[in-house]
Amino acid sequence: HMWTPLTSGTERETRFHRPEQDGLERRVVSPQAMEEYFKDRDDFLYFRHVTFSRSIQSLTPFPLKTSLENLHVLKVVERFHRNTSKPVTEDVAQRVFLVPQMQIKLTYHLMDHRTIPSRRSITKPKDDQPFTEDMFSTFQVEQSKKPLGPLLWCSMVEDLINEEEKVALQIKVSLMEMENILDSREQEENNLKVFSSELEQVMACREKWEEERTSKEDLFMIHEQEMNVLVPFLSQLESSDALNSEEVRSLCVDCLARFKERLEEHTSFLQKNLETAIENQEADEDHQHDPAMSMQEAELTCHLCWDKNFYISAAQRRLDKHKEKLEDKCKAFLLKLHQEPLLAPHFES
């Protein structure tokens, strides 16, 4: 996730790896535009550029009825790789939806030994308006090819209108996904603030030790590449010279108990996250079978359920991995206590 400040807002770029889902590799979102790059899709789509008439942030909450007009889209440009299973005169290379003009423009792949591609332009009829010949225009490179008749034109228009609805749904899903990513990042930033006070305590302890024991600086120096995890547990220890071996061992037992409490708190946190995700998924599955939902809403719900299943699987693996390493973490923590320069002399024998 990368972002660049602009005069009109922020440009955000996110990279993905999900070939089994939709082949999305990269998404770039600026205040009034969105670009998406795909790879290895069944429909051969590899690029989509969407231009909006207003800021993307102002689109939320998203409308229930999904259409390019409701999403305030001005223009959609889609580009496709060559599909060799189709004749070149029927294989679309670029598809453009001009929403305010109610037009759809198609540009086909180049024929061999040609420098100009074939093109078609369609103007969608308004409500209850019949199709007329002036709504269609075509430029056919191969003059010997028979032009399309009225029935084929009408059939093409119906197919393109259905494709436009699918494109609108995909754009809505992309915008919702981007909103969820930003919400997650904001939550992570808030979680970091929780540890700021503890970090300040660590820095204060470090400064205190350096001032009081400058002659033994090498015993208290924390490497720049590694944060000493024992500092919060030993913050109450000013000097180990006045402690006997029994008191040091008691201190180690107390520190280990506090460390285990933190591990248990983290385990509970991961378990709660997993249970919450499962409850949300079950609620969505019940809603998914609502007969009142439209086909577009059902597709959107199915897509969101897939994302939540993926999150549940990742949360379960994270919890299992954490539980597997609990014992090893406690052993490593105890070993680090014994090697702590302040305490190590009491364990030498």
Side-chain angles (χ1 to χ4, degrees), residues 228-274:
N228 189 346
V229 297
L230 303 180
V231 173
F233 297 96
L234 302 178
S235 59
Q236 77 274 18
L237 180 62
E238 297 181 358
S239 172
S240 64
D241 297 340
L243 297 180
N244 56 40
S245 298
E246 189 64 28
E247 290 172 331
V248 170
R249 294 181 186 278
S250 176
L251 175 65
C252 290
V253 171
D254 180 59
C255 290
L256 180 61
R258 291 167 58 196
F259 181 71
K260 288 182 178 180
E261 288 179 2
R262 292 197 176 189
L263 292 179
E264 291 176 358
E265 290 175 0
H266 189 56
T267 303
S268 300
F269 173 76
L270 295 177
Q271 184 69 38
K272 185 177 179 180
N273 275 356
L274 177 61

Side-chain angles (χ1 to χ4, degrees), residues 125-319:
K126 297 181 180 180
D127 296 338
D128 300 329
Q129 182 182 2
F131 291 107
T132 57
E133 293 185 1
D134 60 345
M135 295 180 179
F136 313 108
S137 63
T138 182
F139 171 76
Q140 189 69 41
V141 175
E142 187 62 43
Q143 298 296 331
S144 60
K145 185 176 177 59
K146 184 179 179 180
L148 296 180
L151 292 179
L152 291 177
W153 272 113
C154 293
S155 176
M156 179 181 290
V157 171
E158 291 178 358
D159 292 340
L160 288 174
I161 290 176
N162 291 333
E163 287 296 319
E164 181 179 325
E165 294 176 353
K166 293 180 181 179
V167 169
L169 179 61
Q170 293 168 7
I171 293 173
K172 181 179 179 179
V173 169
S174 295
L175 294 176
M176 294 177 65
E177 181 180 45
M178 199 66 193
E179 184 183 23
N180 291 336
I181 290 174
L182 295 181
D183 289 342
S184 298
R185 292 296 179 270
E186 183 179 359
Q187 182 62 41
E188 290 175 1
E189 291 291 336
N190 293 335
N191 291 340
L192 287 177
K193 296 177 182 178
V194 174
F195 301 98
S196 61
S197 59
E198 183 175 349
L199 182 60
E200 291 176 358
Q201 296 177 4
V202 172
M203 300 304 296
C205 290
R206 181 193 295 179
E207 292 177 1
K208 182 177 180 181
W209 287 348
E210 289 177 351
E211 291 174 359
E212 294 180 353
R213 300 179 64 90
T214 53
S215 61
K216 299 181 179 180
E217 183 180 359
D218 56 316
L219 297 178
F220 308 102
M221 202 65 177
I222 299 175
H223 296 290
E224 294 179 358
Q225 297 84 1
E226 180 182 9
M227 176 69 75
N228 189 346
V229 297
L230 303 180
V231 173
F233 297 96
L234 302 178
S235 59
Q236 77 274 18
L237 180 62
E238 297 181 358
S239 172
S240 64
D241 297 340
L243 297 180
N244 56 40
S245 298
E246 189 64 28
E247 290 172 331
V248 170
R249 294 181 186 278
S250 176
L251 175 65
C252 290
V253 171
D254 180 59
C255 290
L256 180 61
R258 291 167 58 196
F259 181 71
K260 288 182 178 180
E261 288 179 2
R262 292 197 176 189
L263 292 179
E264 291 176 358
E265 290 175 0
H266 189 56
T267 303
S268 300
F269 173 76
L270 295 177
Q271 184 69 38
K272 185 177 179 180
N273 275 356
L274 177 61
E275 293 174 354
T276 303
I278 294 175
E279 292 175 359
N280 293 338
Q281 174 66 0
E282 291 175 350
D284 288 343
E285 288 179 350
D286 294 339
H287 181 66
Q288 186 177 0
H289 301 290
D290 187 356
M293 293 176 60
S294 65
M295 183 178 297
Q296 294 177 354
E297 292 173 337
E299 291 180 358
L300 176 59
T301 303
C302 183
H303 180 87
L304 296 177
C305 285
W306 189 95
D307 286 345
K308 291 185 177 180
N309 280 330
F310 181 82
Y311 177 81
I312 291 172
S313 177
Q316 183 66 60
R317 289 196 301 271
R318 191 181 302 115
L319 177 61

Side-chain angles (χ1 to χ4, degrees), residues 322-336:
H322 174 71
K323 289 182 177 180
E324 290 174 1
K325 293 186 176 182
L326 286 178
E327 185 175 351
D328 292 339
K329 287 182 178 180
C330 291
K331 291 180 179 178
F333 180 80
L334 189 59
L335 178 61
K336 205 169 185 68

Side-chain angles (χ1 to χ4, degrees), residues 37-77:
Y37 299 82
F38 304 90
K39 184 179 180 181
D40 298 332
R41 282 176 60 106
D42 294 336
D43 58 1
F44 296 90
L45 174 69
Y46 70 89
F47 173 77
R48 177 185 292 133
H49 183 275
V50 186
T51 306
F52 299 88
S53 62
R54 52 194 286 190
S55 171
I56 294 178
Q57 291 184 346
S58 64
L59 298 180
T60 54
F62 296 104
L64 294 178
K65 184 178 180 182
T66 305
S67 67
L68 295 181
E69 292 85 354
N70 291 344
L71 294 174
H72 300 279
V73 174
L74 289 177
K75 183 179 179 180
V76 180
V77 178

